Amino acid sequence: MLINTVLKNIVKNRTFAPMEVTTPTPMNTVSVDFDNLEFGKVFADTMVVADYDGEKWSEFEVKSLETMAMHPATSVFHYGQAIFEGLKAYKSDDGRINIFRLKDNIARLNKSAHRMMMPQLDADKVEEIIKDFVASNKAWIPAKHQGSLYIRPFMISTDPTLRAVSSKTFRFVIIACPVGFYYDKPLSVYLEKSYSRAGKGGIGYAKAAGNYAASFYPSSKAKNLGFDQVLWTNVSNNFSLEELGSANFFYVKNGAIRTPSVEDSILRGITRATVIQLARDTGMSVTEEVITAEEFHQDLAAGTVECMFATGTAAAITYINAITIDNETYTVESNAYALVLALKERLDAAKFLELGEHDEWNVVV
Ligand code: PLP
Ligand code: COI
């Protein structure tokens, strides 16, 4: 009792340096330079929040974008039980707004939640709230030539305890950013054989925060050597090709598109699935298979690689013009490859409601 009183007095009398809390700004669209949007820096001024109490989700609350105060022992800070999604809303020239492949992103969010021992969300309710959220944030959506609205739903564990067990309570949040184009030039890539992004039996197929944390050190090593990104491989299976940074990898050999088959260490990209479908629709051949680094290296050395690219919501279709494997660098003028340029146009047409096919991908608000 006495000790508690003493401690309380110490805490009361101690002066702490005030913690600097950065309010997410700007808070209005007028001050945003929509022609020069840096990815993930500007935020729409509202957010959606729901809490899981161990048994059920609360109603979704739409509120002004604000910081979230949490106990320092909150589970997510220590054990990283956190997942997210990334999807986009596009404004077509006639002013219609298309949330592209919304259902697929929600389904993947629930898949990630399952693997990370987090509660399922009601997919229909999440779909409705994202539609409402986008509709009420129309002013934040850039015009077609400027970019799109990147929507970031995420879930974190919120039990205030240091016990290393799954949290029982969780928070689900949706925020959004107007964004420009993630990569503005073809990439120079390093094929990584020492570090893995994810492993067999692990969480690579889930969009779990820890996968990204694990990637930062090797990525920054590659950046220091002058590369833009790493091409991950499976270091315990003949260095079979996996993903490119946080995007899926493709290359074209003798006119046919090849991409690594989705193993449990690879995120099943929604843009990947879209591009495969669009390519097959136009009669292009696409194979999904295990491709070892050695096989890929031989294709590069033989000059049979005509184009390399990566796909993702943020990355869209990004070309790779140079790749370094085992200290040998190969250049491929990927951005001059007409077949994939046409595919890129079809992907844009799909997002901006100009394709006239695959309406099942679109949610127009
Ligand atoms: N791989 C990783 C690790 C990613 O983070 C992403 C981005 O979401 C992708 C691939 C591409 O997936 P999607 O096309 O669904 O955005
Ligand atoms: C996305 O493309 O949505 C991603 O998740 C990439 C992101 C990590 C920047």
Side-chain angles (χ1 to χ4, degrees), residues 84-86 105 108 150 197 204 207 212 243-248 267-272 311-314:
F84 68 94
E85 264 309 321
N105 280 275
R108 191 171 63 186
Y150 184 79
R197 188 193 80 94
K207 220 162 153 56
Y212 298 81
E243 304 191 56
L244 187 114
S246 42
N248 294 109
L267 188 83
R268 202 175 271 269
I270 292 165
T271 320
R272 176 186 182 279
T311 66
T313 299

Side-chain angles (χ1 to χ4, degrees), residues 98-105 127 270 273-274 277-278 281 346 350 353 355-364:
N98 184 24
I99 312 176
F100 193 59
R101 305 211 66 166
L102 172 59
K103 284 181 197 294
D104 302 276
N105 280 275
E127 187 176 336
I270 292 165
T274 308
Q277 184 64 53
L278 290 174
D281 287 351
R346 276 177 68 73
L353 300 167
L355 190 67
E357 294 165 44
H358 293 297
D359 282 346
E360 73 278 11
W361 293 342
N362 305 324
V363 172
V364 181

